[in-house]
Amino acid sequence: MQIVVMGSAAGGGFPQWNCNCRNCYSLRQGNFRGPSRTQTQVAVSDDGHCWFLLGASPDLRVQIESTFALHPQGGTRHSPIAGVVLLNADIDHMVGLLSLRELHQFVIYCTVSLRQILLEDNRIFGILNRVPQQARWMDAKVGEGFPLKTVSGVETGTSCELFPIGYKWPAYVPRDRRERLEPDAASLGVTLTSAGQKRLVFLPTVPSIDNDLLQKLEMADLILFDGTFWSDDELVRVEKGGPSAGEMGHVSVGGPNGTLSRLRGLLGPQKVFLHINNTNPMLDPTSPEHKSVLEAGWRIAEDGWRFEL
């Protein structure tokens, strides 16, 4: 399985367009040693020719242009993108679907609840179905594995299993709609298994770490994990107010109950943080937070990183 981290930042990217925090200010001034980052986007392929996107970020068009493997390979109109797997209804996870509206045929795997939010409540996503079979919406059930297939129905060698990690729908979803949705489909993680039985676990949002999640992580070969905030009160301190990391649905990286502490015994898989907020001090390669992440055996993703399992 080939994996490309096309984007590694949280919503808004880094630097964020309206933020003047220490990290964003330093990067704009040319004093920051780390790179800029686009919003989190990952692509996977079992053969290097047929690719599937995990989510569809707002930065998708420029991310495709920065990823040679996803460029048109032949003919006037072509794309190696065969499909998209959606895990939640967050704006920064699915609005990039609108960048795929140019009559290219592909498959969208998501739960029934997410499909209803996108197609029944938001008419703009109807642009994905201007012609028959433009986008094929395939209903995926939580906890049941399914193969990734091309539009023509050919299995690609990669299989998926969605699993619940949170029960909070985005604020824009109306209350009456939320009451009719599957509660365990609000926020999902995914395990992707290659033809060679190698496993990737992709978790851009993690509200808490429980025993069920630990078991899935122990079986993985590579983990791409929520690194949004370093501390639970990060935004409260930076913005002099605002929600905590927990209130926003993210477990913090540092602290006694953070990811580094909770997963310190997880030694088998490669462990990589992504979906990193612009305020997170571990973005700075000179910071003690950055050093502690590396010492704990984790890596901090950058745009363009590639992995092979």
Side-chain angles (χ1 to χ4, degrees):
M1 184 191 303
Q2 298 180 41
I3 301 122
V4 178
V5 178
M6 301 164 67
S8 53
F14 174 57
Q16 183 172 302
W17 67 277
N18 65 340
C19 183
N20 207 30
C21 70
R22 178 179 178 181
N23 286 344
C24 290
Y25 178 81
S26 296
L27 185 63
R28 292 192 181 102
Q29 294 298 310
N31 300 321
F32 195 83
R33 295 191 182 181
S36 62
R37 289 169 164 86
T38 58
Q39 296 168 91
T40 289
Q41 181 64 61
V42 172
V44 300
S45 175
D46 212 65
D47 61 6
H49 300 289
C50 183
W51 290 83
F52 290 84
L53 304 177
L54 306 183
S57 89
D59 297 323
L60 184 56
R61 193 200 70 80
V62 69
Q63 291 168 335
I64 291 173
E65 289 304 304
S66 299
T67 308
F68 178 78
L70 298 185
H71 291 180
Q73 302 299 320
T76 303
R77 291 285 184 128
H78 171 267
S79 173
I81 297 173
V84 182
V85 181
L86 297 177
L87 305 182
N88 58 62
D90 290 345
I91 296 296
D92 60 356
H93 183 72
M94 54 75 179
V95 75
L97 286 174
L98 299 177
S99 297
L100 303 179
R101 67 188 183 278
E102 308 297 343
L103 303 182
H104 170 63
Q105 292 187 321
F106 63 101
V107 185
I108 300 174
Y109 295 93
C110 66
T111 62
V112 172
S113 293
L114 184 49
R115 176 171 54 81
Q116 290 172 340
I117 291 172
L118 295 183
L119 293 184
E120 297 179 16
D121 296 343
N122 295 275
R123 293 186 180 181
I124 191 172
F125 286 95
I127 197 71
L128 297 173
N129 289 101
R130 286 184 291 166
V131 298
Q133 300 299 311
Q134 178 182 347
R136 292 184 58 193
W137 296 78
M138 303 294 290
D139 295 337
K141 294 184 178 180
V142 177
E144 295 185 12
F146 58 92
L148 294 181
K149 299 180 180 180
T150 65
V151 172
S152 60
V154 177
E155 294 190 12
T156 61
T158 301
S159 62
C160 286
E161 182 180 341
L162 305 176
F163 55 91
I165 55 174
Y167 304 93
K168 183 178 179 181
W169 293 97
Y172 75 84
V173 179
R175 178 177 296 180
D176 61 339
R177 168 62 76 183
R178 284 183 239 172
E179 293 173 351
R180 302 194 302 272
L181 299 174
E182 309 158 271
D184 65 349
S187 187
L188 303 170
V190 62
T191 298
L192 296 103
T193 305
S194 70
Q197 296 303 302
K198 296 293 185 178
R199 291 183 177 88
L200 162 68
V201 177
F202 177 57
L203 290 159
T205 301
V206 180
S208 62
I209 299 173
D210 58 21
N211 289 333
D212 288 341
L213 180 58
L214 283 171
Q215 291 180 3
K216 292 185 180 298
L217 298 179
E218 288 170 351
M219 297 175 64
D221 296 284
L222 171 64
I223 299 166
L224 300 179
F225 199 89
D226 181 357
T228 309
F229 298 112
W230 178 261
S231 60
D232 192 57
D233 65 345
E234 187 170 311
L235 289 185
V236 178
R237 290 184 291 104
V238 172
E239 299 180 0
K240 311 305 180 185
S244 67
E247 290 170 340
M248 295 183 68
H250 299 282
V251 63
S252 58
V253 174
N257 297 312
T259 301
L260 293 184
S261 177
R262 292 295 310 279
L263 300 184
R264 61 182 178 274
L266 188 65
L267 304 178
Q270 299 181 66
K271 297 170 291 188
V272 181
F273 285 120
L274 47 52
H275 200 272
I276 307 160
N277 200 59
N278 54 286
T279 57
N280 195 324
M282 74 181 189
L283 285 174
D284 183 353
T286 67
S287 70
E289 291 86 357
H290 186 99
K291 181 180 179 181
S292 65
V293 168
L294 301 186
E295 290 177 343
W298 288 76
R299 301 173 68 189
I300 302 170
E302 298 178 10
D303 293 14
W305 277 17
R306 300 180 69 99
F307 299 89
E308 187 165 344
L309 299 177

